[in-house]
Amino acid sequence: MVKAAVLYEAKQPLAIEDLELDDPKSGEVLVKIGAAGICRSDRHFMHGDAVINLPAVLGHEGAGTVESVGPGVTSVRPGDQVILSFVPACGRCKSCIQGHANICDNHMATGPMMYDGTCRLHKGDQRIYHMGKVACFAEYSVVPEAGCVPVSSPIPMDIAAMIGCCVPTGVGAVVYSAKVEPGSTVAVVGCGGVGLNVIMGAKLVNASKIIAVDIRESQLEFAMKFGATHTVNASDRDPVAQVKELTDGRGADYTFEVFGSTDTIKAAYEMCAKSGTVTVVGIAPVGAEAPINAVELVRFEKTLRGTYYGSARSQIDMPTMVDLYLSGKLNLDDLVVRHYTLDQINQAYDDMDQGEVGRGAIMFS
Ligand SMILES: NC(=O)c1ccc[n+]([C@@H]2O[C@H](COP(=O)([O-])OP(=O)(O)OC[C@H]3O[C@@H](n4cnc5c(N)ncnc54)[C@H](O)[C@@H]3O)[C@@H](O)[C@H]2O)c1
Ligand SMILES: [Zn+2]
Ligand SMILES: [Zn+2]
Protein backbone atom coordinates (compact mmCIF):
# COMPACT_ATOMS: atom_id res chain seq x y z
CA MET A 1 0.00 0.00 0.00
CA VAL A 2 1.22 3.51 -0.79
CA LYS A 3 -0.13 6.78 0.47
CA ALA A 4 -1.11 9.05 -2.42
CA ALA A 5 -3.11 12.17 -3.30
CA VAL A 6 -5.95 11.21 -5.66
CA LEU A 7 -8.10 13.44 -7.87
CA TYR A 8 -11.54 11.82 -8.21
CA GLU A 9 -13.39 14.78 -9.63
CA ALA A 10 -12.52 18.30 -10.77
CA LYS A 11 -13.23 21.08 -8.28
CA GLN A 12 -12.93 18.64 -5.36
CA PRO A 13 -9.93 18.55 -2.99
CA LEU A 14 -7.37 15.80 -3.50
CA ALA A 15 -8.10 12.76 -1.33
CA ILE A 16 -5.20 11.32 0.68
CA GLU A 17 -5.60 7.55 0.50
CA ASP A 18 -3.76 4.25 0.61
CA LEU A 19 -3.60 2.62 -2.83
CA GLU A 20 -2.22 -0.63 -4.15
CA LEU A 21 0.82 -0.29 -6.40
CA ASP A 22 1.82 -3.27 -8.54
CA ASP A 23 5.44 -4.30 -9.03
CA PRO A 24 7.29 -2.78 -11.99
CA LYS A 25 6.87 -4.75 -15.21
CA SER A 26 9.42 -5.11 -17.97
CA GLY A 27 11.18 -1.79 -18.64
CA GLU A 28 9.73 -0.15 -15.52
CA VAL A 29 11.20 1.12 -12.27
CA LEU A 30 9.86 1.45 -8.72
CA VAL A 31 10.90 4.81 -7.27
CA LYS A 32 10.64 5.95 -3.65
CA ILE A 33 9.61 9.58 -4.06
CA GLY A 34 11.80 12.12 -2.25
CA ALA A 35 10.11 15.38 -3.25
CA ALA A 36 7.36 16.62 -5.55
CA GLY A 37 6.87 20.18 -6.76
CA ILE A 38 3.67 22.22 -6.65
CA CYS A 39 3.26 23.17 -10.32
CA ARG A 40 0.22 24.91 -11.79
CA SER A 41 -0.16 22.20 -14.45
CA ASP A 42 -1.63 19.86 -11.79
CA ARG A 43 -3.89 22.68 -10.65
CA HIS A 44 -5.45 22.94 -14.12
CA PHE A 45 -6.74 19.35 -13.75
CA MET A 46 -8.06 20.10 -10.27
CA HIS A 47 -9.89 23.18 -11.58
CA GLY A 48 -11.21 21.29 -14.63
CA ASP A 49 -9.31 23.60 -17.03
CA ALA A 50 -7.41 20.58 -18.37
CA VAL A 51 -8.66 17.04 -18.78
CA ILE A 52 -7.15 13.75 -17.58
CA ASN A 53 -8.64 10.27 -17.08
CA LEU A 54 -9.93 10.02 -13.51
CA PRO A 55 -9.35 9.00 -10.84
CA ALA A 56 -5.69 9.93 -11.12
CA VAL A 57 -2.69 10.44 -8.91
CA LEU A 58 -1.32 13.82 -9.97
CA GLY A 59 2.23 15.13 -9.57
CA HIS A 60 4.65 15.40 -12.47
CA GLU A 61 7.55 17.40 -10.99
CA GLY A 62 9.40 14.86 -8.91
CA ALA A 63 12.56 13.10 -7.88
CA GLY A 64 13.40 10.11 -5.72
CA THR A 65 15.49 7.01 -5.22
CA VAL A 66 15.28 3.80 -7.21
CA GLU A 67 13.87 1.07 -5.00
CA SER A 68 13.77 -1.82 -7.48
CA VAL A 69 13.76 -2.41 -11.23
CA GLY A 70 11.69 -4.61 -13.51
CA PRO A 71 13.09 -7.05 -16.08
CA GLY A 72 15.33 -5.57 -18.77
CA VAL A 73 16.12 -2.29 -17.01
CA THR A 74 19.79 -1.40 -17.50
CA SER A 75 20.23 2.37 -17.06
CA VAL A 76 19.42 2.67 -13.33
CA ARG A 77 19.83 0.47 -10.28
CA PRO A 78 18.49 0.45 -6.71
CA GLY A 79 19.88 3.35 -4.67
CA ASP A 80 20.30 5.75 -7.62
CA GLN A 81 18.91 9.26 -7.22
CA VAL A 82 16.68 9.98 -10.22
CA ILE A 83 14.82 12.96 -11.59
CA LEU A 84 11.49 11.93 -13.10
CA SER A 85 10.55 13.02 -16.61
CA PHE A 86 6.85 13.44 -17.40
CA VAL A 87 7.67 12.66 -21.03
CA PRO A 88 9.49 9.30 -20.89
CA ALA A 89 10.39 9.36 -24.55
CA CYS A 90 10.07 6.11 -26.52
CA GLY A 91 13.06 6.96 -28.75
CA ARG A 92 11.43 5.36 -31.80
CA CYS A 93 8.53 7.55 -32.93
CA LYS A 94 8.78 10.28 -35.55
CA SER A 95 8.95 13.12 -32.96
CA CYS A 96 11.70 11.35 -30.99
CA ILE A 97 13.72 10.64 -34.14
CA GLN A 98 13.33 14.25 -35.27
CA GLY A 99 14.95 15.29 -31.97
CA HIS A 100 11.72 16.34 -30.25
CA ALA A 101 11.68 13.78 -27.46
CA ASN A 102 9.67 16.26 -25.34
CA ILE A 103 6.61 15.65 -27.53
CA CYS A 104 7.05 11.87 -27.98
CA ASP A 105 4.11 10.49 -30.01
CA ASN A 106 3.89 7.15 -28.20
CA HIS A 107 3.95 8.78 -24.78
CA MET A 108 1.23 11.22 -25.76
CA ALA A 109 -0.90 8.39 -27.20
CA THR A 110 -0.79 6.42 -23.93
CA GLY A 111 -1.04 9.51 -21.64
CA PRO A 112 -1.57 8.69 -17.97
CA MET A 113 -1.04 4.94 -18.49
CA MET A 114 2.09 2.87 -18.78
CA TYR A 115 3.30 2.12 -22.30
CA ASP A 116 1.33 -1.14 -22.37
CA GLY A 117 -1.91 0.78 -21.80
CA THR A 118 -2.40 -0.44 -18.21
CA CYS A 119 -1.96 1.20 -14.81
CA ARG A 120 0.06 -0.01 -11.83
CA LEU A 121 -2.03 1.92 -9.32
CA HIS A 122 -5.42 0.67 -8.22
CA LYS A 123 -7.86 0.60 -5.38
CA GLY A 124 -9.42 -2.82 -5.36
CA ASP A 125 -10.80 -3.23 -8.89
CA GLN A 126 -10.70 0.49 -9.69
CA ARG A 127 -7.79 1.53 -11.87
CA ILE A 128 -6.06 4.79 -10.94
CA TYR A 129 -4.24 6.77 -13.65
CA HIS A 130 -0.69 8.11 -13.40
CA MET A 131 -0.27 11.76 -14.41
CA GLY A 132 2.51 11.97 -17.02
CA LYS A 133 3.45 8.37 -16.13
CA VAL A 134 5.01 10.02 -13.05
CA ALA A 135 2.24 10.29 -10.39
CA CYS A 136 4.66 11.59 -7.78
CA PHE A 137 2.07 12.84 -5.28
CA ALA A 138 2.60 9.42 -3.71
CA GLU A 139 5.19 7.76 -1.50
CA TYR A 140 6.19 5.38 -4.31
CA SER A 141 5.65 5.34 -8.05
CA VAL A 142 6.24 2.92 -10.90
CA VAL A 143 7.60 4.75 -13.96
CA PRO A 144 9.04 3.76 -17.34
CA GLU A 145 12.83 3.44 -17.38
CA ALA A 146 13.03 6.31 -19.88
CA GLY A 147 11.32 8.53 -17.30
CA CYS A 148 14.21 8.10 -14.85
CA VAL A 149 17.11 10.50 -15.31
CA PRO A 150 20.00 9.52 -13.01
CA VAL A 151 21.80 12.26 -11.07
CA SER A 152 25.55 11.57 -10.95
CA SER A 153 26.32 13.41 -7.69
CA PRO A 154 23.44 13.62 -5.21
CA ILE A 155 21.63 16.96 -4.86
CA PRO A 156 18.84 17.95 -2.44
CA MET A 157 15.60 16.16 -3.35
CA ASP A 158 13.55 19.35 -3.63
CA ILE A 159 16.06 20.81 -6.09
CA ALA A 160 16.10 17.55 -8.07
CA ALA A 161 12.29 17.65 -8.22
CA MET A 162 12.40 21.19 -9.69
CA ILE A 163 14.62 19.86 -12.47
CA GLY A 164 11.74 17.51 -13.25
CA CYS A 165 9.56 20.37 -14.57
CA CYS A 166 9.92 24.09 -13.86
CA VAL A 167 13.68 24.31 -14.49
CA PRO A 168 13.86 22.62 -17.92
CA THR A 169 10.52 24.20 -18.88
CA GLY A 170 11.58 27.74 -17.99
CA VAL A 171 15.29 27.69 -18.78
CA GLY A 172 14.65 25.49 -21.84
CA ALA A 173 12.01 27.92 -23.17
CA VAL A 174 14.77 30.53 -23.38
CA VAL A 175 17.72 28.40 -24.43
CA TYR A 176 16.22 25.60 -26.53
CA SER A 177 12.89 27.01 -27.78
CA ALA A 178 13.26 30.78 -28.30
CA LYS A 179 17.09 30.66 -28.52
CA VAL A 180 17.41 34.13 -26.98
CA GLU A 181 20.48 36.00 -28.21
CA PRO A 182 22.90 37.75 -25.83
CA GLY A 183 22.14 41.44 -25.41
CA SER A 184 18.48 41.15 -26.39
CA THR A 185 15.55 42.37 -24.31
CA VAL A 186 13.17 39.92 -22.65
CA ALA A 187 9.75 40.28 -21.00
CA VAL A 188 8.29 37.50 -18.84
CA VAL A 189 4.53 37.60 -18.17
CA GLY A 190 3.86 35.56 -15.02
CA CYS A 191 6.64 35.15 -12.46
CA GLY A 192 5.69 32.02 -10.53
CA GLY A 193 7.81 28.86 -10.33
CA VAL A 194 8.15 28.49 -14.11
CA GLY A 195 8.43 32.22 -14.91
CA LEU A 196 11.31 32.60 -12.44
CA ASN A 197 13.14 29.91 -14.40
CA VAL A 198 12.52 31.82 -17.63
CA ILE A 199 14.12 34.81 -15.90
CA MET A 200 17.09 32.66 -14.81
CA GLY A 201 17.43 31.38 -18.37
CA ALA A 202 17.43 34.93 -19.74
CA LYS A 203 20.14 35.88 -17.24
CA LEU A 204 22.15 32.79 -18.20
CA VAL A 205 22.25 33.87 -21.86
CA ASN A 206 23.09 37.50 -20.99
CA ALA A 207 19.90 39.24 -22.00
CA SER A 208 20.38 43.00 -21.55
CA LYS A 209 16.99 43.79 -20.00
CA ILE A 210 14.83 41.21 -18.25
CA ILE A 211 11.41 42.69 -17.53
CA ALA A 212 9.33 40.77 -15.01
CA VAL A 213 5.56 41.24 -15.45
CA ASP A 214 3.08 40.06 -12.82
CA ILE A 215 -0.07 41.24 -11.09
CA ARG A 216 1.46 40.89 -7.64
CA GLU A 217 4.13 43.19 -6.20
CA SER A 218 5.49 40.35 -4.01
CA GLN A 219 6.21 38.19 -7.07
CA LEU A 220 7.93 41.11 -8.78
CA GLU A 221 10.19 41.83 -5.79
CA PHE A 222 11.04 38.13 -5.55
CA ALA A 223 11.85 38.03 -9.30
CA MET A 224 14.70 40.51 -8.77
CA LYS A 225 16.57 37.76 -6.86
CA PHE A 226 16.69 35.65 -10.02
CA GLY A 227 17.91 38.24 -12.50
CA ALA A 228 14.98 40.50 -13.39
CA THR A 229 16.32 43.98 -14.17
CA HIS A 230 12.94 45.77 -14.36
CA THR A 231 9.44 45.06 -13.07
CA VAL A 232 5.98 45.84 -14.42
CA ASN A 233 2.89 45.52 -12.28
CA ALA A 234 0.12 44.53 -14.70
CA SER A 235 -2.59 45.38 -12.20
CA ASP A 236 -1.50 49.07 -12.04
CA ARG A 237 -1.56 49.97 -15.73
CA ASP A 238 -1.55 48.33 -19.18
CA PRO A 239 1.51 46.05 -19.11
CA VAL A 240 2.02 46.40 -22.89
CA ALA A 241 2.47 50.18 -22.60
CA GLN A 242 4.80 49.75 -19.62
CA VAL A 243 7.03 47.22 -21.41
CA LYS A 244 7.17 49.49 -24.47
CA GLU A 245 8.23 52.42 -22.28
CA LEU A 246 11.11 50.32 -20.97
CA THR A 247 12.22 49.33 -24.49
CA ASP A 248 12.34 52.66 -26.39
CA GLY A 249 8.79 52.15 -27.63
CA ARG A 250 9.69 48.97 -29.56
CA GLY A 251 8.63 46.21 -27.22
CA ALA A 252 10.86 43.34 -26.05
CA ASP A 253 12.79 41.19 -28.53
CA TYR A 254 11.62 38.02 -26.80
CA THR A 255 8.45 37.74 -24.74
CA PHE A 256 7.29 34.75 -22.72
CA GLU A 257 3.78 34.00 -21.51
CA VAL A 258 4.00 31.97 -18.29
CA PHE A 259 0.56 32.03 -16.69
CA GLY A 260 -1.87 30.32 -19.07
CA SER A 261 -4.71 32.62 -20.22
CA THR A 262 -5.83 34.20 -23.46
CA ASP A 263 -5.35 37.70 -21.98
CA THR A 264 -1.75 37.09 -21.03
CA ILE A 265 -1.00 35.48 -24.41
CA LYS A 266 -2.45 38.58 -26.11
CA ALA A 267 -0.38 40.86 -23.86
CA ALA A 268 2.83 38.88 -24.52
CA TYR A 269 2.12 39.09 -28.26
CA GLU A 270 1.48 42.84 -28.20
CA MET A 271 4.54 43.71 -26.09
CA CYS A 272 6.82 41.86 -28.52
CA ALA A 273 9.00 43.99 -30.82
CA LYS A 274 9.14 43.89 -34.62
CA SER A 275 10.90 40.69 -35.77
CA GLY A 276 10.64 39.44 -32.20
CA THR A 277 9.55 36.06 -30.85
CA VAL A 278 6.61 35.35 -28.55
CA THR A 279 6.92 32.04 -26.70
CA VAL A 280 3.86 30.64 -24.93
CA VAL A 281 4.71 28.45 -21.93
CA GLY A 282 1.49 28.71 -19.92
CA ILE A 283 -1.28 26.20 -20.53
CA ALA A 284 -4.58 28.00 -21.16
CA PRO A 285 -7.93 26.33 -20.37
CA VAL A 286 -8.88 23.58 -22.81
CA GLY A 287 -10.57 24.99 -25.94
CA ALA A 288 -9.27 28.55 -25.35
CA GLU A 289 -8.50 30.65 -28.43
CA ALA A 290 -6.27 33.70 -28.06
CA PRO A 291 -7.00 36.76 -30.23
CA ILE A 292 -3.91 38.16 -31.93
CA ASN A 293 -3.48 40.94 -34.47
CA ALA A 294 -3.06 38.97 -37.70
CA VAL A 295 -1.71 41.90 -39.71
CA GLU A 296 1.02 42.67 -37.16
CA LEU A 297 2.11 39.07 -37.34
CA VAL A 298 2.98 39.63 -41.00
CA ARG A 299 3.97 43.27 -41.24
CA PHE A 300 6.06 43.17 -38.06
CA GLU A 301 7.45 39.70 -38.84
CA LYS A 302 6.67 38.40 -35.39
CA THR A 303 7.16 34.75 -34.55
CA LEU A 304 4.58 33.12 -32.27
CA ARG A 305 5.45 29.71 -30.87
CA GLY A 306 4.63 27.35 -28.05
CA THR A 307 7.04 25.34 -25.93
CA TYR A 308 6.39 22.07 -24.13
CA TYR A 309 8.85 21.01 -21.42
CA GLY A 310 11.14 23.79 -22.69
CA SER A 311 11.84 21.74 -25.84
CA ALA A 312 14.25 19.86 -23.56
CA ARG A 313 15.33 16.27 -24.12
CA SER A 314 15.15 14.97 -20.56
CA GLN A 315 17.95 12.41 -20.73
CA ILE A 316 20.58 14.91 -21.87
CA ASP A 317 19.23 18.28 -20.83
CA MET A 318 18.27 17.52 -17.21
CA PRO A 319 21.87 16.51 -16.37
CA THR A 320 22.92 19.84 -17.94
CA MET A 321 20.52 21.66 -15.59
CA VAL A 322 22.04 19.76 -12.63
CA ASP A 323 25.51 20.91 -13.72
CA LEU A 324 24.33 24.51 -14.11
CA TYR A 325 22.92 24.36 -10.58
CA LEU A 326 26.10 22.81 -9.15
CA SER A 327 28.25 25.46 -10.83
CA GLY A 328 26.15 28.25 -9.29
CA LYS A 329 24.60 29.43 -12.57
CA LEU A 330 21.01 28.62 -11.58
CA ASN A 331 19.78 29.95 -8.24
CA LEU A 332 17.57 27.01 -7.38
CA ASP A 333 18.33 27.21 -3.64
CA ASP A 334 16.23 30.38 -3.37
CA LEU A 335 13.44 29.00 -5.57
CA VAL A 336 11.86 26.46 -3.20
CA VAL A 337 10.56 28.46 -0.29
CA ARG A 338 7.73 26.34 1.08
CA HIS A 339 7.85 22.72 2.19
CA TYR A 340 4.80 20.59 2.95
CA THR A 341 3.91 17.03 3.85
CA LEU A 342 1.67 15.03 1.50
CA ASP A 343 -1.23 15.54 3.94
CA GLN A 344 -0.90 19.31 3.41
CA ILE A 345 -1.16 19.16 -0.38
CA ASN A 346 -4.50 20.97 -0.69
CA GLN A 347 -3.10 23.76 1.47
CA ALA A 348 -0.02 23.87 -0.78
CA TYR A 349 -2.26 24.49 -3.82
CA ASP A 350 -4.34 27.08 -1.98
CA ASP A 351 -1.10 28.91 -1.14
CA MET A 352 -0.22 28.90 -4.83
CA ASP A 353 -3.62 30.38 -5.69
CA GLN A 354 -3.15 33.01 -3.00
CA GLY A 355 0.04 34.10 -4.77
CA GLU A 356 2.66 32.95 -2.27
CA VAL A 357 6.02 33.59 -3.94
CA GLY A 358 8.42 30.91 -5.26
CA ARG A 359 7.86 27.19 -5.54
CA GLY A 360 6.34 24.85 -2.97
CA ALA A 361 7.43 21.23 -2.61
CA ILE A 362 5.98 18.17 -0.93
CA MET A 363 8.73 16.41 1.04
CA PHE A 364 8.61 12.66 1.73
CA SER A 365 10.62 11.19 4.56
N1 LIG B 1 4.70 24.36 -21.36
C1 LIG B 1 4.99 23.48 -20.41
O1 LIG B 1 5.61 22.45 -20.67
C2 LIG B 1 4.63 23.79 -19.00
C3 LIG B 1 5.29 23.15 -17.94
C4 LIG B 1 4.99 23.54 -16.63
C5 LIG B 1 4.01 24.49 -16.39
N2 LIG B 1 3.36 25.02 -17.46
C6 LIG B 1 2.33 26.05 -17.26
O2 LIG B 1 2.98 27.29 -16.98
C7 LIG B 1 2.07 28.12 -16.26
C8 LIG B 1 2.75 28.68 -15.03
O3 LIG B 1 2.97 27.64 -14.08
P1 LIG B 1 3.56 27.97 -12.63
O4 LIG B 1 3.66 26.67 -11.92
O5 LIG B 1 4.73 28.87 -12.73
O6 LIG B 1 2.33 28.81 -12.01
P2 LIG B 1 2.34 29.87 -10.82
O7 LIG B 1 0.96 29.95 -10.30
O8 LIG B 1 3.47 29.57 -9.88
O9 LIG B 1 2.72 31.26 -11.55
C9 LIG B 1 1.83 32.00 -12.32
C10 LIG B 1 2.16 33.48 -12.12
O10 LIG B 1 1.34 34.25 -13.02
C11 LIG B 1 0.94 35.42 -12.35
N3 LIG B 1 -0.21 36.01 -13.03
C12 LIG B 1 -1.53 35.69 -12.89
N4 LIG B 1 -2.29 36.47 -13.70
C13 LIG B 1 -1.42 37.30 -14.36
C14 LIG B 1 -1.60 38.35 -15.31
N5 LIG B 1 -2.81 38.69 -15.75
N6 LIG B 1 -0.51 39.01 -15.75
C15 LIG B 1 0.74 38.67 -15.31
N7 LIG B 1 0.96 37.68 -14.40
C16 LIG B 1 -0.11 37.01 -13.93
C17 LIG B 1 0.66 34.94 -10.93
O11 LIG B 1 0.64 36.03 -9.99
C18 LIG B 1 1.84 33.99 -10.71
O12 LIG B 1 2.98 34.67 -10.19
C19 LIG B 1 0.85 27.25 -15.98
O13 LIG B 1 -0.16 27.46 -16.96
C20 LIG B 1 1.40 25.84 -16.11
O14 LIG B 1 0.42 24.87 -16.40
C21 LIG B 1 3.66 24.72 -18.74
ZN1 LIG C 1 5.00 21.34 -14.18
ZN1 LIG D 1 8.74 8.78 -29.03
Side-chain angles (χ1 to χ4, degrees):
M1 288 292 218
V2 296
K3 189 157 129 177
V6 191
L7 181 68
Y8 280 94
E9 211 183 317
K11 300 187 170 47
Q12 295 298 316
L14 298 177
I16 308 297
E17 293 188 340
D18 287 330
L19 304 176
E20 289 133 78
L21 179 65
D22 297 339
D23 289 338
K25 292 192 177 173
S26 176
E28 297 172 357
V29 178
L30 175 67
V31 177
K32 182 179 194 301
I33 304 298
I38 300 297
C39 177
R40 185 162 287 279
S41 296
D42 303 286
R43 195 54 155 171
H44 296 320
F45 296 116
M46 296 180 218
H47 281 158
D49 289 337
V51 180
I52 187 172
N53 305 41
L54 296 175
V57 171
L58 302 182
H60 64 282
E61 181 173 86
T65 309
V66 173
E67 185 81 7
S68 65
V69 299
V73 170
T74 55
S75 60
V76 292
R77 61 177 83 158
D80 286 354
Q81 184 182 31
V82 288
I83 297 168
L84 301 176
S85 168
F86 63 82
V87 183
C90 78
R92 296 183 307 276
C93 71
K94 189 165 180 184
S95 294
C96 281
I97 291 166
Q98 285 175 328
H100 305 297
N102 59 312
I103 48 173
C104 169
D105 305 343
N106 286 321
H107 165 64
M108 286 187 163
T110 45
M113 293 171 280
M114 294 292 119
Y115 269 119
D116 65 2
T118 65
C119 294
R120 302 291 161 269
L121 285 165
H122 51 102
K123 195 174 178 190
D125 290 342
Q126 186 174 33
R127 71 152 65 177
I128 313 273
Y129 293 90
H130 306 233
M131 177 174 178
K133 300 183 175 58
V134 175
C136 60
F137 290 158
E139 295 168 320
Y140 289 85
S141 186
V142 169
V143 299
E145 178 179 9
C148 290
V149 182
V151 180
S152 49
S153 43
I155 58 174
M157 278 296 183
D158 53 351
I159 304 287
M162 298 300 116
I163 300 175
C165 177
C166 63
V167 178
T169 298
V171 176
V174 173
V175 177
Y176 306 130
S177 311
K179 300 188 173 69
V180 172
E181 289 176 10
S184 48
T185 54
V186 171
V188 183
V189 183
C191 302
V194 181
L196 293 170
N197 279 283
V198 175
I199 290 170
M200 283 191 264
K203 183 178 178 200
L204 190 69
V205 299
N206 291 318
S208 60
K209 280 185 185 166
I210 305 173
I211 305 167
V213 183
D214 206 290
I215 48 170
R216 292 191 173 94
E217 206 51 47
S218 53
Q219 313 284 31
L220 294 171
E221 265 169 45
F222 195 65
M224 299 298 285
K225 272 192 175 188
F226 299 87
T229 59
H230 299 75
T231 61
V232 160
N233 190 327
S235 56
D236 286 349
R237 199 157 59 81
D238 176 22
V240 176
Q242 295 190 70
V243 169
K244 287 196 169 168
E245 282 162 22
L246 290 168
T247 50
D248 302 325
R250 294 183 62 82
D253 299 320
Y254 294 90
T255 67
F256 294 85
E257 190 284 339
V258 207
F259 171 59
S261 75
T262 55
D263 286 353
T264 43
I265 292 170
K266 186 170 188 285
Y269 180 81
E270 289 176 355
M271 66 178 66
C272 179
K274 276 184 180 168
S275 76
T277 299
V278 186
T279 303
V280 179
V281 184
I283 299 178
V286 66
E289 293 185 5
I292 56 154
N293 182 318
V295 177
E296 273 189 14
L297 182 68
V298 178
R299 287 174 59 87
F300 292 177
E301 287 201 341
K302 291 189 181 187
T303 299
L304 172 62
R305 64 161 300 161
T307 174
Y308 194 62
Y309 225 156
S311 311
R313 297 143 306 168
S314 304
Q315 290 292 343
I316 56 174
D317 296 325
M318 285 181 180
T320 301
M321 302 291 157
V322 173
D323 290 345
L324 287 169
Y325 163 68
L326 289 173
S327 60
K329 297 211 165 61
L330 292 178
N331 177 16
L332 305 185
D333 289 322
D334 283 339
L335 183 67
V336 194
V337 285
R338 284 166 285 120
H339 291 100
Y340 303 91
T341 62
L342 185 61
D343 292 307
Q344 296 169 320
I345 193 160
N346 290 303
Q347 180 63 47
Y349 272 101
D350 288 345
D351 289 348
M352 167 182 263
D353 286 349
Q354 293 302 312
E356 293 284 341
V357 298
R359 199 57 144 193
I362 306 290
M363 303 303 293
F364 296 83
S365 48

